Amino acid sequence: MKRATYFNKTATSISIDSLEKFSVKAPSNLILLGTFLLLFGAVSLFYYLQPYFEEIHLERMNSVWGITLMTLGISLLTIKVSFIIYILFLYLRYKIISPVTNEELPLCTVIVPAYNEGELVYKTLHSLAESDYPAEKLQIISIDDGSQDNTWQWMQKAKNELGNRVSIYQQPKNKGKRHALYRGFDLATGDVFITVDSDSIVKKDTLRIMASPFVVSEDCGAVAGNVRVLNRDKGLIPRMLNVSFAFSFEFIRSAQSTLGSVLCTPGALSAYRKAAVFNCKEEWINQTFMGEVSKIGEDRAMTNMILKQGYKVLFQRKAYVYTNIPERYKNLYKMFIRWERSNIRENIAMSKFAFNDFREGSKSGTRILLLNQWLKMVMAYPALLLMLFFICTYPLLFLSSTLVSILIFSSIQALFYAKKHSASESLWAYPYSLFYAFTLFWITPYAIATAGRSGWLTRDLSKDQLKEHEQQVDVIPVSVLE
């Protein structure tokens, strides 16, 4: 099979026929038009009904309940705005670490766990092998975690083409991503471990950029990569999340990196110092929550355990990885539930050390980041109850004020994306905020109530999907497999 360049062309057109498609009936421009008509209509409604809203306000001010709600609302808004200003201050101070020379680069092991990924793992391994990292300093390991489809055959195909550039292994049964990574850590020979999801494509210089901070900074224990959406042209959800991801990584994680306290190194692309991993890997693999073995949140858990050791966790903005995300609502909310459950668990775990003297230097910024996480958790149910109260009592006020708030806060994301990437694509920040506010608002309350569950939720395949995967490749014999 002819090799291709996977970043410029193939990466953005990878076939993901195995995933169910999100059907888009209306053209994108009509969706954007409808979004802005709705938002600006809300502004007009808010202005037109101002006398009515003032009457409601005066009525509420005559009751203790009303005064309490207003005070709470103003306090929360003040905290939120203050936090955004603080993050902006940190973002403006962020500096990336430039790539070091070939001679300075450390021995590096890339670990790719795979489960029911089909052809995607093949393309991931090729993109890694085509990196500009010195071949003699790079070890690539991929581990099939007991897939039900033909993932192993695609890994064999990559091995057949790449030879000793890649080593492949197969778990006897599905044990979870954490166990696959654990095996990879034990097999690794590098001084730096880089983990990459098996549905992700890296740029040619990504590995070099990820490994460089460990050379420059002795107190760097982990590095987070910059995750972008690979399948953003496949549906509305990926297109909207592409803008959200850019803001989450390039703005929020840049600010966190200034403090040396990125809260989560993403599964799609992360790097770890070997010594830091080996200091905690037994605790990590045996981690439990509410008496049950943890099967989710391996990335946030590893980040926490490395921060706890006193290391810094940084973000490299130019270390790009392009990954597939769900295209259907059902798969999206399952992914968000898994992420939120992990956040809840690890916020609790982080609180056990973050307010102690866990490392040298200032720790106040790290604690502010954690307190912001706790604010979201603590306010999840009160916010839900208040929303239901206002829907029932003042529906027009609720609808107009919610839409005006979406317009204001979405503009922050849109302006950021327009400055860094594309003005036209930035407009998708507005539909996404609407989409989240009205269809995903329940994620955090539900995740809190079900935090003890550990199901992955998004990796099992239906019978039809398994058949599609089986039709994608002919098994190519490989004479030698490690």
Side-chain angles (χ1 to χ4, degrees):
M1 179 177 180
K2 184 178 179 181
R3 290 179 67 178
T5 300
Y6 285 90
F7 170 64
N8 290 329
K9 297 180 180 180
T10 308
T12 56
S13 61
I14 288 178
S15 172
I16 49 173
D17 294 335
S18 60
L19 301 178
E20 294 176 300
K21 306 301 181 182
F22 180 85
S23 178
V24 184
K25 296 182 179 180
S28 298
N29 57 343
L30 290 182
I31 293 172
L32 289 173
L33 177 61
T35 297
F36 283 104
L37 286 175
L38 181 63
L39 292 176
F40 286 111
V43 173
S44 301
L45 180 65
F46 196 84
Y47 177 79
Y48 179 74
L49 296 177
Q50 189 63 30
Y52 168 66
F53 294 151
E54 288 179 358
E55 182 180 335
I56 293 175
H57 175 69
L58 292 174
E59 178 184 324
R60 287 162 54 191
M61 287 299 293
N62 290 326
S63 68
V64 175
W65 172 249
I67 295 174
T68 302
L69 283 180
M70 186 187 72
T71 303
L72 178 62
I74 293 175
S75 300
L76 290 175
L77 181 62
T78 301
I79 293 172
K80 191 69 175 177
V81 171
S82 298
F83 181 75
I84 292 174
I85 294 173
Y86 177 60
I87 291 296
L88 176 61
F89 169 73
L90 294 174
Y91 167 76
L92 294 174
R93 295 176 57 203
Y94 168 74
K95 295 180 180 180
I96 63 172
I97 295 177
S98 301
V100 298
T101 64
N102 286 357
E103 291 73 22
E104 295 174 292
L105 285 172
L107 295 176
C108 176
T109 298
V110 181
I111 304 168
V112 183
Y115 178 63
N116 288 350
E117 289 292 5
E119 184 183 8
L120 294 177
V121 65
Y122 167 85
K123 297 181 181 295
T124 298
L125 293 175
H126 266 283
S127 76
L128 292 168
E130 293 171 0
S131 297
D132 65 0
Y133 209 95
E136 68 276 9
K137 290 187 173 184
L138 182 63
Q139 176 191 27
I140 302 174
I141 296 174
S142 186
I143 298 172
D144 174 27
D145 186 31
S147 296
Q148 300 170 313
D149 65 350
N150 58 6
T151 294
W152 179 242
Q153 283 72 46
W154 279 109
M155 289 169 61
Q156 289 177 313
K157 183 176 174 64
K159 169 65 180 176
N160 190 58
E161 296 174 1
L162 298 173
N164 60 8
R165 295 294 311 280
V166 62
S167 300
I168 62 175
Y169 302 85
Q170 191 173 32
Q171 298 280 70
K173 63 178 182 179
N174 176 241
K175 300 176 70 175
K177 183 179 180 181
R178 195 177 296 224
H179 281 270
L181 288 171
Y182 181 84
R183 185 177 180 185
F185 293 149
D186 281 340
L187 293 167
T189 60
D191 297 315
V192 170
F193 303 155
I194 296 180
T195 63
V196 178
D197 277 350
S198 53
D199 60 352
S200 305
I201 304 296
V202 299
K203 287 183 66 175
K204 192 172 183 179
D205 59 354
T206 291
L207 299 183
R208 177 187 296 270
I209 296 172
M210 289 291 288
S212 294
F214 298 97
V215 178
V216 176
S217 176
E218 290 185 359
D219 59 359
C220 174
V223 176
N226 191 354
V227 182
R228 301 299 306 277
V229 177
L230 177 62
N231 55 330
R232 64 178 180 270
D233 294 327
K234 298 295 183 178
L236 291 178
I237 288 177
R239 179 167 289 183
M240 290 188 296
L241 259 69
N242 184 53
V243 179
S244 177
F245 271 34
F247 185 79
S248 174
F249 281 90
E250 298 182 12
F251 184 69
I252 302 298
R253 279 176 172 80
S254 291
Q256 293 175 352
S257 185
T258 301
L259 298 170
S261 298
V262 173
L263 296 185
C264 183
T265 52
L269 178 64
S270 298
Y272 306 104
R273 188 180 294 276
K274 177 181 180 179
V277 171
F278 274 71
N279 284 342
C280 67
K281 74 184 182 76
E282 297 306 321
E283 178 187 0
W284 177 75
I285 195 64
N286 294 305
Q287 185 185 36
T288 60
F289 182 79
M290 297 177 63
E292 298 290 332
V293 175
S294 295
K295 297 179 181 178
I296 61 173
E298 73 291 329
D299 46 6
R300 178 82 193 273
M302 179 62 76
T303 308
N304 260 350
M305 292 179 185
I306 290 176
L307 282 171
K308 184 179 179 180
Q309 295 175 47
Y311 285 106
K312 291 185 177 180
V313 179
L314 307 177
F315 169 68
Q316 283 288 73
R317 184 174 59 81
K318 292 186 177 180
Y320 288 102
V321 61
Y322 291 78
T323 192
N324 278 295
I325 65 166
E327 298 172 24
R328 297 188 61 189
Y329 174 71
K330 182 178 181 180
N331 291 338
L332 180 71
Y333 76 65
K334 286 182 176 181
M335 181 181 75
F336 279 172
I337 289 171
R338 188 178 75 245
W339 286 0
E340 201 61 31
R341 285 173 180 163
S342 171
N343 281 335
I344 293 162
R345 296 177 178 201
E346 296 306 323
N347 287 337
I348 296 172
M350 187 176 180
S351 299
K352 295 178 181 179
F353 70 86
F355 297 99
N356 299 325
D357 190 22
F358 67 97
R359 75 177 179 203
E360 296 180 358
S362 176
K363 293 165 278 289
S364 58
T366 305
R367 292 164 182 166
I368 290 173
L369 297 178
L370 177 59
L371 288 172
N372 182 66
Q373 294 285 309
W374 271 104
L375 180 64
K376 178 183 177 183
M377 290 169 52
V378 169
M379 292 304 300
Y381 285 105
L384 182 62
L385 292 175
L386 283 174
M387 181 187 74
L388 294 175
F389 170 76
F390 279 113
I391 289 175
C392 295
T393 55
Y394 307 108
L396 281 178
L397 175 61
F398 167 78
L399 182 62
S400 58
S401 60
T402 298
L403 293 177
V404 170
S405 299
I406 287 174
L407 178 63
I408 294 171
F409 284 100
S410 296
S411 296
I412 299 174
Q413 290 192 34
L415 289 172
F416 177 83
Y417 193 89
K419 178 175 173 57
K420 292 291 182 180
H421 301 285
S422 164
S424 59
E425 287 293 316
S426 70
L427 298 178
W428 287 100
Y430 298 96
Y432 177 69
S433 294
L434 279 174
F435 176 71
Y436 191 95
F438 291 100
T439 69
L440 296 169
F441 64 89
W442 55 273
I443 294 292
T444 299
Y446 179 78
I448 293 173
T450 60
R453 299 182 187 177
S454 291
W456 194 260
L457 301 177
T458 55
R459 278 290 184 263
D460 292 333
L461 298 178
S462 66
K463 291 182 180 180
D464 290 340
Q465 288 174 312
L466 285 172
K467 289 180 180 178
E468 289 177 2
H469 277 210
E470 289 169 0
Q471 295 170 357
Q472 286 180 350
V473 67
D474 294 323
V475 179
I476 296 181
V478 181
S479 57
V480 179
L481 298 176
E482 288 83 357

